[in-house]
Amino acid sequence: MALTNKQRQVTDISVWLMRYYQILTGCVKPRSYKFGRYLEIQDVDAVKRLFRSRVKITKMVVLNDTVTTLAQETAALATMKILERRFANKSNYEK
């Protein structure tokens, strides 16, 4: 399914509506908590370890971007540089 609108339109269906519809109709398949990783964007060492790991079983990474101090902001910028190097090329969805 391709998204045709670059910005949300009045006629677009909310992702949340679809999720709740799937729950109500029984179309949800629970996944293991090991499916992905949850990291804080300012935890530069954890991000480095994730990409240094030789085992590539992580399918999804969630980066929480709650930054409240200057030190956390500096660390978050370091994480962003790591991500920019790791994912230098845009995906098909970003072009």
Side-chain angles (χ1 to χ4, degrees), residues 59-73:
K59 304 264 187 214
M60 175 182 67
V61 176
V62 175
L63 286 174
N64 185 14
D65 61 352
T66 304
V67 175
T68 57
T69 67
L70 184 56
Q72 288 176 336
E73 184 175 348

Side-chain angles (χ1 to χ4, degrees), residues 10-71:
V10 173
T11 56
D12 290 343
I13 297 173
S14 166
V15 174
W16 289 100
L17 175 64
M18 290 308 300
R19 288 180 183 169
Y20 288 125
Y21 174 78
Q22 290 173 329
I23 291 169
L24 288 171
T25 58
C27 296
V28 176
K29 295 180 182 174
R31 292 186 181 158
S32 166
Y33 70 92
K34 296 178 183 179
F35 177 78
R37 295 278 311 273
Y38 178 88
L39 303 171
E40 299 287 335
I41 197 166
Q42 65 268 20
D43 192 351
V44 182
D45 293 333
V47 173
K48 286 180 182 176
R49 279 193 306 275
L50 177 71
F51 292 127
R52 248 187 286 159
S53 172
R54 295 190 187 277
V55 179
K56 302 293 181 196
I57 60 171
T58 302
K59 304 264 187 214
M60 175 182 67
V61 176
V62 175
L63 286 174
N64 185 14
D65 61 352
T66 304
V67 175
T68 57
T69 67
L70 184 56

